[in-house]
Amino acid sequence: MSQTAQISNQTRRWQEMDARHHVHPFSDQAALAKKGARVITHAEGVYLYDSEGHKIIDGMAGLWCVNVGYGRPELAEAGYKALKELPYYNTFFQTTNPYTAELGERLAEVTPDGLDRFFFANSGSEANDSMVKIIRYYWSLQGKPEKKVFISRKQAYHGVTMTAASLSGISAMHPQAGLPLPNHAHIDFPYWYGMGGDMDPNEFGVHIAMKLEEKILEIGAENVAAFVAEPVQGAGGLIIPPDSYWPVIQEICRKYDILLHADEVICGFGRTGNWFGSHTYGIVPDTMAMAKGMTSGYQPLSAVALGPRVGDALHNAGEEWSHGFTYSGHPVASAVALANLDVLQKDKLVEKAGGEIGEHFQKHLHALADHPIVGETRGVGLLGAIELVKDKKTRERFEGDTGGLCRDHCFENDLIMRAIGNTMVLSPPLSITKPELDELFTLARKALDATAKDLGAM
């Protein structure tokens, strides 16, 4: 939708209400109010529809989350049934509900081996925040309360609450709130294209993984609680690690008795072509966070999965664990998650992401490498990144916000493709079809062409 085009009175009215009353996440409030937010009114499959009648292909599955696609009646009916039967009750007063009890059992069937206890929350931020409390409590139970430091990675994204934002290594998130909090440290991340130079990717993977050992020795292993990382870094630029990276990371964690927490908020529920990114990369985590694809965004729900080491200690502590949320184990959200798992399994969406649909996506993605302003394409499953560069050989970037320019061309051509700096990112619903992928990448190339022309590169 062109921002200079005439828009309907109804759209204008919604925009005015929104500008007056709605504080948007990660936005310049005044600039957005002046421009007017795009009003999305409904969605179906992989398409969004705005208040001006534009049909938009959603190349980001919302915020990496609408894995089964929009408008699935099974999920709506499951939520409606639960709303009629048990719209809410808490899990504090020695109670549970059928939906949450069944969800725990279903999750244990698809998570990595041993991760079979779950604490439920509402968002990935809350899950990672809860994980920090769980792990600190675990070490206290072991008689090692001094193990409080959490090591994560630069450009990592783990959420926006005070602790989750401290775990996050996107430095722009920190100054406004005076973060990070104490006992958080960050190391380099495995961004071969941007940081590896002429080094062989696997050599670079080992080199960057060893930064964890350096940081542990600097802090003292007796003070380090855990290493926290996404299997694939999402909001930090879709950083896919070399094959050598995760084996070395796990060896270091074992060597120094550091717990390993996998943040699967983006990678979970089929995104990488397996149920979890930990399956894709052979990671054996002690704890794991999940959200987003857990309900495909139809309801707010997240969880921390606990392996036997941490889970058994918490279970057998012999005292009350002082943590929980009003909506932990919400019956309606749990009912929707169960229906979401049914759809993922019935439609074999995880298998398709790791098979024919994922392969078709990756074929299209890598075909963009011939474009004059594309320096690299990389991807796994239904995740893809496109690096925008001025010089393919030297990897020199254009000046200014090239990613933002390309993103705007995507919006003008009714495609949602995210810009993270000068890297364009795709993460469509797992339910996308081959013809829809053909359409998506036709629009993506069109946006790249328009960007190149603006930059004088075509």
Side-chain angles (χ1 to χ4, degrees):
M1 178 176 67
S2 171
Q3 295 300 321
T4 59
Q6 287 292 110
I7 60 173
S8 68
N9 289 336
Q10 179 61 76
T11 296
R12 177 61 67 196
R13 177 65 179 133
W14 280 326
Q15 289 178 333
E16 289 171 352
M17 289 188 287
D18 188 79
R20 184 171 180 82
H21 302 292
H22 183 190
V23 179
H24 282 256
F26 286 95
S27 299
D28 179 329
Q29 306 302 315
L32 180 58
K34 182 178 180 180
K35 180 180 181 181
R38 190 172 211 166
V39 182
I40 301 299
T41 58
H42 59 290
E44 185 69 27
V46 299
Y47 296 100
L48 305 167
Y49 298 83
D50 72 14
S51 56
E52 296 299 293
H54 291 84
K55 181 181 180 182
I56 309 153
I57 190 164
D58 186 2
M60 281 303 300
L63 271 175
W64 323 80
C65 58
V66 188
N67 288 12
V68 301
Y70 297 96
R72 295 301 300 238
E74 303 96 317
L75 275 66
E77 290 161 7
Y80 178 55
K81 179 176 181 290
L83 280 166
K84 290 193 297 181
E85 292 179 350
L86 183 65
Y88 171 73
Y89 195 66
N90 70 77
T91 56
F92 278 53
F93 304 149
Q94 301 183 14
T95 62
T96 190
N97 62 75
Y99 306 106
T100 302
E102 291 176 15
L103 179 58
E105 183 171 77
R106 290 285 298 279
L107 289 174
E109 294 170 359
V110 297
T111 49
D113 290 347
L115 294 170
D116 58 5
R117 298 182 192 273
F118 304 91
F119 170 75
F120 293 102
N122 308 288
S123 69
S125 297
E126 288 183 1
N128 283 319
D129 219 294
S130 298
M131 170 275 298
V132 169
K133 293 179 75 173
I134 290 169
I135 288 179
R136 284 188 173 179
Y137 182 43
Y138 166 79
W139 284 118
S140 291
L141 290 171
Q142 307 310 303
K144 298 179 180 180
E146 67 281 0
K147 287 176 78 72
K148 284 187 169 65
V149 179
F150 286 76
I151 300 173
S152 49
R153 301 183 294 196
K154 298 174 183 176
Q155 286 302 113
Y157 182 82
H158 299 293
V160 296
T161 56
M162 293 291 280
T163 296
S166 296
L167 287 169
S168 297
I170 300 175
S171 58
M173 294 171 57
H174 294 156
Q176 292 175 349
L179 299 175
L181 297 172
N183 294 313
H184 291 276
H186 300 89
I187 59 173
D188 284 339
F189 57 113
Y191 183 21
W192 175 79
Y193 184 78
M195 296 163 51
D198 296 325
M199 193 178 294
D200 173 80
N202 281 323
E203 181 185 356
F204 175 74
V206 173
H207 168 72
I208 292 297
M210 293 304 295
K211 299 292 183 181
L212 175 58
E213 183 171 53
E214 292 175 17
K215 183 61 69 173
I216 290 170
L217 293 174
E218 175 190 325
I219 296 168
E222 69 279 7
N223 299 312
V224 179
F227 176 62
V228 177
E230 305 155 87
V232 173
Q233 284 179 250
L238 196 65
I239 307 303
I240 297 175
D243 291 341
S244 61
Y245 179 78
W246 275 109
V248 175
I249 288 290
Q250 295 189 91
E251 182 181 338
I252 292 169
C253 289
R254 288 191 293 267
K255 178 179 178 180
Y256 293 100
D257 196 22
I258 306 300
L259 295 180
L260 175 58
H261 174 74
D263 182 343
E264 295 266 10
V265 170
I266 286 174
C267 294
F269 301 97
R271 181 56 57 189
T272 65
N274 289 290
W275 274 98
F276 291 90
S278 293
H279 292 127
T280 300
Y281 293 100
I283 304 167
V284 184
D286 295 290
T287 59
M288 189 171 80
M290 61 189 76
K292 294 190 184 291
M294 191 174 180
T295 65
S296 288
Y298 281 56
Q299 285 282 290
L301 183 65
S302 67
V304 185
L306 308 179
R309 181 176 180 181
V310 177
D312 289 353
L314 189 66
H315 181 75
N316 297 317
E319 63 181 8
E320 179 180 287
W321 182 47
S322 302
H323 183 69
F325 302 105
T326 299
Y327 301 122
S328 291
H330 194 287
V332 178
S334 296
V336 171
L338 288 167
N340 182 65
L341 289 170
D342 287 342
V343 170
L344 287 168
Q345 292 174 325
K346 175 175 65 71
D347 291 359
K348 298 187 182 303
L349 295 181
V350 178
E351 292 83 352
K352 289 178 180 177
E356 59 175 341
I357 296 300
E359 289 166 5
H360 197 68
F361 174 86
Q362 296 297 329
K363 180 182 75 172
H364 270 303
L365 175 71
H366 297 313
L368 294 176
D370 68 359
H371 197 277
I373 63 169
V374 174
E376 183 194 53
T377 61
R378 58 180 178 271
V380 60
L382 281 173
L383 287 169
I386 304 161
E387 295 278 3
L388 304 183
V389 297
K390 183 177 183 180
D391 188 306
K392 288 173 176 276
K393 185 175 181 181
T394 65
R395 305 179 189 176
E396 178 189 358
R397 305 286 184 167
F398 291 98
E399 294 183 6
D401 185 11
T402 311
L405 179 63
C406 185
R407 177 205 59 213
D408 291 345
H409 281 300
C410 291
F411 286 173
E412 289 165 6
N413 288 284
D414 294 328
L415 167 67
I416 304 295
M417 181 161 64
R418 182 172 179 175
I420 300 174
N422 290 326
T423 304
M424 305 307 296
V425 173
L426 286 164
S427 173
L430 307 189
S431 59
I432 198 167
T433 64
K434 288 183 179 180
E436 289 165 346
L437 282 170
D438 297 342
E439 177 189 357
L440 185 157
F441 280 98
T442 296
L443 294 174
R445 187 173 285 275
K446 186 177 180 180
L448 288 169
D449 287 348
T451 303
K453 288 173 183 175
D454 285 348
L455 296 168
M458 267 186 89

